[in-house]
Amino acid sequence: MPLAIVKSRGLDGLAAPEVAAEIHLANGLPSITLVGLPDTEVKEARDRVRAALINSGFEFPGRRITINLAPADLPKESGRFDLPIALGILAASGQIPEKALAGYEFAGELSLSGELRPIRGALAMALAADARGHTLVLPEASAREAALARGPKILAATSLLQICAHLSGQSLLPECVPQAAPTSSSYPDLSEVRGQTQAKRALEIAAAGAHSLLFSGPPGSGKSMLAARLPGLLPPLPNHAALESAAVLSLSGQFRPERFGAVPYRSPHHSASAAALIGGGSVPRPGEISLAHHGVLFLDELPEFDRRVLESLREPLENGRIHISRAARQAEFPARFQFVAAMNPCPCGWHGDPSGRCRCTPDRVSRYREKLSGPLLDRIDLIVEVPAVPPAALQAAPDGDPSMTVRERIARARAMQEERQGKCNAALSVKEIDRHCAPDAAGAALLERAATRLNFSARAFHRIQKVARSIADLAGDSRINAAHVAEAVQYRRHGQA
């Protein structure tokens, strides 16, 4: 039969819609016509497929070949359609049985020798294929990733010849089974940070309630060290969160199966563009905020980022999602990340230091701090001063708990939150704050006085309540008291200065 249809999948944001590769052979001068809104990478499949078929020992039909990638209104990108196109040509020319393609979905990039190369988005494809009950055939490296979905049957192949042998019943492809999750992480230990008792305490509170955090202090005071140790304090991701995180990382080709379940940690350079941070492109792809989904996004030298880039963080900090609109395409990506940032108090970094090393004028300091807008600072839960560490403290023995001990306290606090409200404190809505974060009489009076004196916004008021709830959870207290409120308020004073 001169017509064959091979099932595959494209990518549209995190979705993986079904794509049918329809191949028709007709009489006429030898040619290949590829339609269905393909981009440049897909158009180049014509040459890759021809070379792969010939070098694998198959006959390339000397006929007029029409290839349609349906649906026609879905843009097609990347080399994932090489494999279904090649199989469709073989089936349409009678070199493999066309009926054997039923119940399968194929994706993979072909080398000129017929070997298979990995593709992006394999995990998203597996989740979509599971809903249809199809068996997914992928390159070996991509199959290990897709098997983490634990739903559809995943077959791993290394070459086009292997797949054809399987479809012809000569030798079956091996089924790919998911690998075990990592048992340990390589994050640095909190005990390596000398001094900075208050900053360590703030880091523990932020980890307990998934709160956003800003460190402010001179160069070399340990701000970046503290931020790098936050992922090691967080509990391992539950399976659904690990799958969501892995699916986003897979879209950018950065996921590694051995890191499944580990907390993502992203630290883009301050020269990053808005598209790099929030996502974008003619074919929308996830940015750093989505790659940090269910993990930590750390922005060092915060005022050095372009102001428009920083302002683009306001919506995902509130909603946990980012919607990217382009003239021809729209895409939505998850962006539920824990935001951590660091900044110097002035351009030289030594404003307020007792040594008097700062030479910045008041006007220069003001312009530097004005790079951070009030609405952005209002969305940060804890703002902490990180002073310079004296030489004596640097030479002293470790003075804090190791990450394992702190992680156990955080796990107990997270367990309380899960039992009480089913989510972290930072994710509470206004109605849930009224129900779970109401302080006792003394705490309510203190919070009211602080809000009046420091002129807190409604958003800041609610964030103090959520931070106080996390402090109480770390202490094992079911009710928020004045001490918890007082500690939460002190982490907002710098933001009001």
Side-chain angles (χ1 to χ4, degrees):
M1 182 179 181
L3 175 66
I5 300 176
V6 184
K7 299 294 185 181
S8 185
R9 291 202 174 266
L11 288 177
D12 186 16
L14 262 184
E18 185 175 284
V19 173
E22 303 172 344
I23 289 83
H24 178 252
L25 305 185
N27 295 326
L29 292 176
S31 65
I32 302 179
T33 303
L34 182 57
V35 297
L37 215 57
D39 71 354
T40 302
E41 294 173 272
V42 180
K43 291 177 181 177
E44 292 171 348
R46 293 175 296 192
D47 299 314
R48 289 194 298 269
V49 168
R50 179 190 286 108
L53 290 178
I54 294 173
N55 290 323
S56 297
F58 294 104
E59 177 186 349
F60 190 81
R63 303 174 66 183
R64 182 176 178 179
I65 303 173
T66 303
I67 303 168
N68 177 39
L69 300 177
D73 60 344
L74 176 69
K76 319 299 188 306
E77 49 87 24
S78 83
R80 70 183 64 251
F81 300 109
D82 290 5
L83 179 58
I85 290 173
L87 292 174
I89 292 175
L90 292 176
S93 60
Q95 298 181 69
I96 61 172
E98 195 267 339
K99 291 183 179 180
L101 299 172
Y104 288 96
E105 293 181 9
F106 303 88
E109 180 182 334
L110 285 171
S111 70
L112 300 186
S113 64
E115 301 296 313
L116 286 173
R117 293 194 174 111
I119 57 172
R120 296 184 298 105
L123 187 52
M125 295 176 65
L127 294 172
D130 185 32
R132 293 296 303 272
H134 289 169
T135 297
L136 192 57
V137 181
L138 294 170
E140 190 172 32
S142 301
R144 291 197 299 269
E145 173 188 320
L148 296 171
R150 298 179 183 272
K153 184 178 181 181
I154 308 294
L155 301 183
T158 59
S159 67
L160 177 63
L161 274 175
Q162 261 195 324
I163 297 175
C164 293
H166 173 86
L167 295 174
S168 301
Q170 298 175 7
S171 62
L172 299 181
L173 291 171
E175 183 174 355
C176 194
V177 295
Q179 297 178 347
T183 56
S184 61
S185 63
S186 57
Y187 296 116
D189 199 271
L190 188 62
S191 62
E192 297 171 356
V193 181
R194 305 298 169 87
Q196 306 299 7
T197 303
Q198 185 186 36
K200 291 179 183 177
R201 170 65 174 171
L203 193 69
E204 182 175 345
I205 295 168
H211 300 290
S212 52
L213 174 64
L214 171 61
F215 291 124
S216 176
S221 57
K223 305 184 294 295
S224 299
M225 284 186 69
L226 286 161
R229 280 146 183 81
L230 177 57
L233 305 180
L234 301 175
L237 297 180
N239 190 64
H240 73 279
L243 278 175
E244 288 182 5
S245 172
V248 177
L249 289 169
S250 175
L251 293 180
S252 63
Q254 300 184 38
F255 175 68
R256 300 293 177 267
E258 62 272 13
R259 296 287 297 164
F260 182 73
V263 177
Y265 179 75
R266 308 293 299 185
S267 180
H269 191 260
H270 59 75
S271 62
S273 65
L277 196 65
I278 69 172
S282 57
V283 178
R285 292 192 183 181
E288 292 290 341
I289 62 172
S290 295
L291 298 176
H293 185 51
H294 291 306
V296 177
L297 176 69
F298 175 54
L299 300 186
D300 201 4
E301 305 294 344
L302 189 64
E304 299 298 333
F305 283 81
D306 186 90
R307 180 169 179 137
R308 291 175 298 176
V309 173
L310 294 180
E311 293 305 302
S312 65
L313 292 175
R314 287 160 55 175
E315 179 188 351
L317 279 172
E318 289 287 337
N319 303 329
R321 303 195 71 81
I322 184 69
H323 188 82
I324 300 170
S325 296
R326 296 293 180 264
R329 296 193 67 178
Q330 294 80 40
E332 187 176 71
F333 297 104
R336 183 72 64 184
F337 57 91
Q338 186 167 355
F339 180 59
V340 182
M343 62 176 287
N344 296 327
C346 68
C348 77
W350 297 102
H351 181 73
D353 189 78
S355 65
R357 298 164 64 179
C358 180
R359 294 293 182 266
C360 299
T361 63
D363 184 56
R364 195 176 174 208
V365 174
S366 178
R367 285 199 308 270
Y368 180 76
R369 293 184 176 180
E370 284 174 358
K371 292 181 179 179
L372 305 179
S373 68
L376 177 62
L377 288 174
D378 212 30
R379 287 168 166 82
I380 299 177
D381 298 334
L382 300 96
I383 302 177
V384 184
E385 292 276 7
V386 185
V389 182
L394 293 174
Q395 299 183 58
D399 57 352
D401 293 330
S403 291
M404 182 178 296
T405 303
V406 178
R407 186 164 57 243
E408 290 174 355
R409 294 198 294 264
I410 291 169
R412 289 194 293 268
R414 288 281 184 106
M416 290 179 63
Q417 296 166 34
E418 189 66 29
E419 182 179 355
R420 181 178 60 241
Q421 67 227 10
K423 62 178 71 173
C424 293
N425 291 330
L428 292 174
S429 64
V430 174
K431 184 181 292 186
E432 291 169 329
I433 291 172
D434 294 337
R435 185 185 309 142
H436 302 298
C437 302
D440 59 18
L446 175 60
L447 181 57
E448 183 177 349
R449 290 196 302 270
T452 302
R453 182 174 178 180
L454 298 174
N455 196 27
F456 288 142
S457 67
R459 181 183 288 112
F461 188 89
H462 287 144
R463 289 181 180 271
I464 288 174
Q465 287 182 286
K466 291 191 282 189
V467 171
R469 177 70 269 174
S470 296
I471 295 171
D473 290 341
L474 283 170
D477 297 331
S478 59
R479 191 71 188 271
I480 301 173
N481 59 40
H484 305 143
V485 173
E487 186 176 0
V489 168
Q490 74 170 335
Y491 297 124
R492 297 291 306 190
R493 293 177 64 89
H494 177 74
Q496 305 304 123

